[in-house]
Each structure stands twice: as C-alpha cells, then as structure tokens.
Amino acid sequence: VYAWLYENEITLLEETVIQHPVLEKVSPGCVATVRITTVVTPEEDVLFFSPLLRMGEGEVGHIISGQFYAPINEEGVIFAPAFKQDGDYDQRGGDFIYHHPSTGEELVGFSVPHFKKAEEMCRQMALEIKSYPFIGWDIGITEEGPVLLEGNKFPANDIIQVYKYHPQQRGLYYEIKNALGL
C-alpha cells in the first residue's frame, strides 16, 4: 500500500481514529465528531459557540450526505433533538431526530465522554493560532481522550446557528460579530 501511495503521489497518511465505545450508540460505524467553535476576542479570551455532536451511521461522514447533529451543553450533554438537513444547506427543510435511526438510542440526555478535555484542548489551540480568531474544531473522542481531526477557518456557520436551538429563535450573527470586536 505504501509503495502504491508513494507512486501515485498520495503522501498524506493519517492515523485511524477509533472512537470511544459509548459513541457507537449514537454513531455506529462512523466516527462521531464534536464541533467546537471558538472565537478569540481582541482581549484574548476564548469563547465557545454552540458545541454540537455530529453523528451518522455506516459510512456517512458529512452533514450534506446524511449525517445529523445535536447541540450539547457546557457539560457535554445533548439537550435537544438532533437535526438532519434535507440534503442541502437550507435549514428550513429537515427533520428532528429523537432516537438514533439504527440503534434506537435516545439522543436527548446522551453524555459525550471527555467533553471538558476537548473544550480545553480547543481553548489552547485557539490561542496558539489567534491570527484566525474564528475556528470550528472537529474533535474525535477516543477512550484515551479527545483527538483533533481538523480545524476549519470557515466553521460551517449554518450548523452552529440552527435558530430552533436558540432561545431568541435566531442565529448567532450579532453575538459572534461582537465577540470578534467587529
């Protein structure tokens, strides 16, 4: 395999992520990711906006291809049903999901292991690259703890702003803009 990859100039190799067994209940066969969006303020405080658990089943690994997501609170617990978009970026279409479609696991009340460690890891990373003050971190959770999968300088603003999840029934545009000092 290595020789074939090298010959075809495919030289980026990544370690396999084996998710925490608890997460198999809500994302069997597909690594669930925690999306933690950070904003580094002009005063260098790190703020968190709408952390989410992104889940799937089988080989589905992207929201547009069938993954769904649920908001998690500051303790890492899902507090509202998951949302599955209808295949495009328009959040007016789609469905709320209360139980995982294949495992039947109840989503509201599900606790994400190692969430506080993941949040602290994102805080430290955000301060390291504060030249990009608004980042969406995709974090995998293993038995040993959180692992960084990627950081997105355009952090899918749509998924952190599902207006139905916010008490004021609107997105977070003004809160994020104010945090950035704009």
Side-chain angles (χ1 to χ4, degrees):
V1 171
Y2 175 80
W4 182 88
L5 290 170
Y6 189 78
E7 288 170 17
N8 289 284
E9 298 182 14
I10 302 172
T11 56
L12 175 65
L13 299 176
E14 298 177 336
E15 183 178 337
T16 300
V17 174
I18 307 296
Q19 75 178 344
H20 194 292
V22 168
L23 291 168
E24 282 293 312
K25 296 176 183 178
V26 295
S27 196
C30 175
V31 175
T33 58
V34 178
R35 167 60 62 91
I36 297 178
T37 301
T38 58
V39 170
V40 179
T41 69
E43 298 79 31
E44 297 191 7
D45 292 322
V46 178
L47 305 178
F48 298 96
F49 285 91
S50 299
L52 301 164
L53 180 63
R54 301 183 324 172
M55 302 161 275
E57 53 187 329
E59 295 181 9
V60 174
H62 194 275
I63 286 171
I64 300 307
S65 61
Q67 197 179 45
F68 44 95
Y69 50 92
I72 51 181
N73 65 20
E74 61 279 349
E75 299 303 317
V77 176
I78 295 176
F79 66 85
F83 185 69
K84 184 175 185 177
Q85 291 177 210
D86 63 3
D88 61 20
Y89 291 97
D90 187 350
Q91 294 175 351
R92 292 173 292 187
D95 297 309
F96 282 109
I97 300 172
Y98 293 84
H99 295 88
H100 191 278
S102 61
T103 68
E105 182 76 17
E106 186 171 350
L107 298 177
V108 176
F110 181 85
S111 183
V112 177
H114 302 299
F115 177 74
K116 285 295 188 186
K117 289 180 184 176
E119 208 173 45
E120 183 55 33
M121 184 175 80
C122 291
R123 177 187 313 281
Q124 292 173 14
M125 292 185 300
L127 289 170
E128 283 295 317
I129 57 171
K130 57 190 171 223
S131 57
Y132 291 103
F134 184 43
I135 296 179
W137 306 98
D138 291 340
I139 306 297
I141 305 292
T142 70
E143 282 192 86
E144 293 77 32
V147 294
L148 173 65
L149 300 179
E150 68 179 11
N152 300 276
K153 68 179 184 175
F154 181 75
N157 300 332
D158 57 334
I159 68 172
I160 67 168
Q161 295 196 90
V162 173
Y163 73 92
K164 296 172 185 174
Y165 288 149
H166 301 286
Q168 68 276 30
Q169 293 291 295
R170 63 177 172 82
L172 301 172
Y173 173 79
Y174 294 106
E175 289 86 348
I176 293 169
K177 184 177 173 184
N178 289 338
L180 290 167
L182 301 175

